[in-house]
Amino acid sequence: MELATPGKAAGETTGKTAGKTERTRLKAGPGFRRIWKFKLLYVLLLPALLWVLVFDYLPLYGVSIAFMDYNVIQGFSGSHWTGLKHFRALFESEMFVHAFKNTLLISLYKMISGFIAPILLALALNEIRTRWFKKTLQTAVYLPRFVSWVVYGGIITLLLSPETGIVNKIISLFGGTPAYLLVEPAYFRTILVVTDAMKEMGWAAIIYIAAIAGLNPEVYEAAVVDGATRFKRIVHVTLPGIASTIIVIFILRVGFVMSAGLDQVINLYNPMVFEVGDILDTYIYRIGIEQFNLSLAAAADVIKGVIGLALVLAANRIAKRIDPDSGIF
């Protein structure tokens, strides 16, 4: 057996002590030393931080446009500050109030359908046991997400055409009278809600499918042993297992209540359905782009943002009270 020499033992002890001292110094020393230790990781993070700073935080200065009579030529420094003038003008405008009400209604309908449909789709896909059929169906429901609303809106217009549309063909087949549904105010909001759910639910279901895949399969096996049917396994195992994911997605969706979908509405609505289809996004588009009243448009956008933030905070607070482990922050 080789005996350790005193010099060697002393060297090992000194090395260990030095390493321990260095770790203690890094742990207890100034924050700069800890940052310097992981400097390469911060260098990798730097491009993302610059992106957020340049494209998310610096543009926030543009919010000041809502509080001044902004003139493009005079710029920020030369434009006259007016305080809450444009906000008062908005709430005194019948068109803004009408667009505000339409936005709330359409967004509420979309939130209900767009929130429930992906969950049901994810549950249905999870119950499919034929692998090739499941993958094919997943791909089919994902594809509409990658089609722009310009193209998708044209497809919807063709499908709802009173002469060649397949929807009116089916209506005629059952003895009904063909109608141009896109110009009927009574149907327009329903069309917006249904087509939005059809386009987005496949993509939104990905998160729920991933959450379901992460559940413990032994829990399902125990439920089967106890005699639980498929429906009972969904109700008592799957849904409780993804409850935290559902809450987070719901809170995030609440933040978009004031955004009813500019791309969709502007590609589908027309003067015949203006009364039920005009929303805040289209109102801001008309005021800001067509009339070039940037201050009034910015004020309307600020109202959207403030209400969205308040709703997210309220929803998160409620979720925390129901379950302290839920919520997004």
Side-chain angles (χ1 to χ4, degrees):
M1 179 182 296
E2 182 181 355
L3 298 177
T5 62
K8 183 177 180 181
E12 290 179 351
T13 304
T14 303
K16 292 180 179 179
T17 304
K20 185 176 180 180
T21 304
E22 179 67 16
R23 289 195 297 271
T24 304
R25 183 176 63 83
L26 287 172
K27 183 177 180 181
F32 177 76
R33 293 182 179 177
R34 293 194 295 271
I35 293 175
W36 182 255
K37 181 181 178 181
F38 302 104
K39 56 184 178 298
L40 294 179
L41 295 178
Y42 284 104
V43 170
L44 293 175
L45 184 62
L46 187 60
L49 293 177
L50 290 176
W51 175 276
V52 172
L53 176 66
V54 173
F55 293 101
D56 289 337
Y57 284 95
L58 290 181
L60 288 177
Y61 184 72
V63 173
S64 59
I65 294 175
F67 302 92
M68 61 174 68
D69 283 330
Y70 182 71
N71 187 292
V72 177
I73 298 176
Q74 295 177 345
F76 288 98
S77 59
S79 299
H80 178 65
W81 289 89
T82 58
L84 300 177
K85 168 188 171 183
H86 299 295
F87 293 92
R88 289 192 293 267
L90 284 175
F91 287 107
E92 292 173 359
S93 171
E94 293 184 4
M95 292 186 65
F96 174 80
V97 174
H98 187 72
F100 188 89
K101 292 179 180 178
N102 283 339
T103 301
L104 285 179
L105 284 174
I106 295 173
S107 294
L108 181 62
Y109 297 152
K110 282 187 176 182
M111 189 173 70
I112 295 173
S113 64
F115 178 68
I116 296 176
I119 298 175
L120 297 178
L121 177 61
L123 294 174
L125 290 174
N126 185 60
E127 295 301 319
I128 298 176
R129 295 294 175 259
T130 307
R131 187 176 180 83
W132 68 267
F133 180 69
K134 180 178 180 179
K135 295 297 183 182
T136 303
L137 189 58
Q138 283 181 343
T139 304
V141 295
Y142 294 165
L143 284 179
R145 175 65 172 76
F146 301 100
V147 179
S148 69
W149 268 111
V150 176
V151 177
Y152 200 72
I155 295 173
I156 294 170
T157 303
L158 291 175
L159 291 176
L160 299 179
S161 171
E163 299 177 354
T164 60
I166 188 172
V167 175
N168 277 293
K169 295 291 184 182
I170 296 174
I171 293 175
S172 300
L173 186 64
F174 286 93
T177 304
Y180 198 178
L181 301 176
L182 282 176
V183 300
E184 293 288 341
Y187 302 120
F188 187 71
R189 287 175 180 164
T190 303
I191 292 172
L192 291 180
V193 173
V194 173
T195 54
D196 180 75
M198 291 173 59
K199 188 176 188 298
E200 302 292 339
M201 68 177 180
W203 183 255
I206 293 177
I207 299 176
Y208 299 114
I209 294 173
I212 293 173
L215 298 179
N216 189 352
E218 294 181 358
V219 180
Y220 286 98
E221 294 173 1
V224 172
V225 172
D226 290 339
T229 62
R230 280 195 175 189
F231 180 75
K232 288 184 177 180
R233 292 199 296 270
I234 291 173
V235 173
H236 298 290
V237 179
T238 307
L239 287 176
I242 63 173
S244 59
T245 303
I246 293 174
I247 292 174
V248 170
I249 297 300
F250 177 76
I251 293 173
L252 294 176
R253 285 194 66 89
V254 166
F256 291 94
V257 165
M258 301 309 298
S259 297
L262 173 64
D263 292 342
Q264 180 191 21
V265 175
I266 209 167
N267 281 288
L268 292 178
Y269 89 147
N270 53 77
M272 298 295 291
V273 294
F274 182 82
E275 182 180 355
V276 297
D278 189 36
I279 59 175
L280 282 179
D281 291 324
T282 54
Y283 176 83
I284 293 173
Y285 174 80
R286 289 198 311 276
I287 297 298
I289 303 301
E290 296 181 357
Q291 301 179 18
F292 209 66
N293 191 337
L294 300 179
S295 295
L296 199 62
D301 204 41
V302 168
I303 293 173
K304 279 182 53 182
V306 170
I307 293 176
L309 175 61
L311 290 174
V312 168
L313 295 176
N316 187 74
R317 188 177 182 86
I318 294 172
K320 285 286 189 181
R321 291 202 171 189
I322 296 175
D323 183 5
D325 295 330
S326 63
I328 57 177
F329 52 83

